[in-house]
Amino acid sequence: MSTSTDEARAFLRQLGADRIPHPGGTLLAHLERVRIQLAMWGARPTLQLAGLCHAFYGTDGFPTALLALDRRPELAAVIGPDAEAIVHFYASCDRKATYASLAAPAPVFRDRFTGRTYVPEPDLLLRRYFAELTAANELDLARRDRAFRDQRGPQLLALLTRFRPLLSQLAWQDTLAVLHAS
């Protein structure tokens, strides 16, 4: 395990992530499971760190923030600017406005913090990271909460099917295993 991972975990504890309730236990437990899932799928260390920290600014689905946006440099100092950029991109996503077109050649992304709508940089890497992180996050919830899987499983399968061109083969196989089991 890298020093950055240990430092990120310590920062999460310092900010109370180990005391914040989340489906399947605590927020920290969920974040760690997402990091481990990404590692099992062969994700780069930068994406694994982003997975561990993906809820620092809250998300469209989990509004509790550990840090205010004006404190982004603090997280970047711990996990690096590339991982922090993934965390910010993930956290800023207005899911309802963005999910439908993310895998399209010219996706429309809506930033929930600013209200700005734009086409992300043409490099697919950030969108791939976003899709993989979304899959790891949502599949963790589906594994831990049968009611969540029963209620949201069909929509989640439809979403991850649209994201399929952006997902790794292992992420896609897990998607099918978890969501077809419901």
Side-chain angles (χ1 to χ4, degrees):
M1 195 149 342
S2 76
T3 302
S4 294
T5 302
D6 292 338
E7 290 173 6
R9 196 177 290 113
F11 197 26
L12 283 159
R13 281 192 186 93
Q14 176 187 341
L15 296 171
D18 57 338
R19 296 182 305 276
I20 296 171
H22 193 278
T26 65
L27 178 59
L28 181 59
H30 165 69
L31 296 171
E32 187 64 46
R33 288 190 305 267
V34 169
R35 182 197 65 77
I36 290 167
Q37 184 62 72
L38 290 165
M40 290 173 56
W41 291 342
R44 294 178 179 177
T46 300
L47 182 55
Q48 292 177 43
L49 274 171
L52 179 61
C53 298
H54 74 268
F56 256 85
Y57 311 124
T59 69
D60 198 5
F62 189 77
T64 302
L66 300 173
L67 282 181
L69 290 176
D70 63 353
R71 295 179 63 190
R72 287 182 65 190
E74 292 177 50
L75 182 58
V78 174
I79 66 173
D82 292 340
E84 190 282 332
I86 297 167
V87 170
H88 181 264
F89 187 72
Y90 184 82
S92 71
C93 180
D94 176 329
R95 294 174 179 184
K96 188 175 183 177
T98 301
Y99 275 0
S101 73
L102 192 70
V108 176
F109 186 90
R110 185 170 191 278
D111 184 317
R112 72 183 183 96
F113 299 130
T114 66
R116 180 178 158 238
T117 301
Y118 65 97
V119 175
E121 59 189 67
D123 179 10
L124 280 178
L125 191 57
L126 187 58
R127 288 192 289 146
R128 288 184 189 282
Y129 285 166
F130 180 90
E132 202 88 349
L133 179 51
T134 297
N137 178 63
E138 299 294 338
L139 291 176
D140 178 66
L141 296 174
R143 281 186 178 99
R144 301 273 172 291
D145 186 343
R146 175 134 186 116
F148 173 89
R149 189 172 64 243
D150 290 347
Q151 180 183 19
R152 301 229 7 248
Q155 297 93 333
L156 186 53
L157 180 58
L159 170 68
L160 296 178
T161 299
R162 282 194 309 276
F163 283 9
R164 173 65 189 107
L166 301 171
L167 295 174
S168 68
Q169 185 61 33
L170 291 173
W172 179 243
Q173 289 171 349
D174 267 1
T175 295
L176 296 176
V178 171
L179 297 177
H180 278 198
S182 51

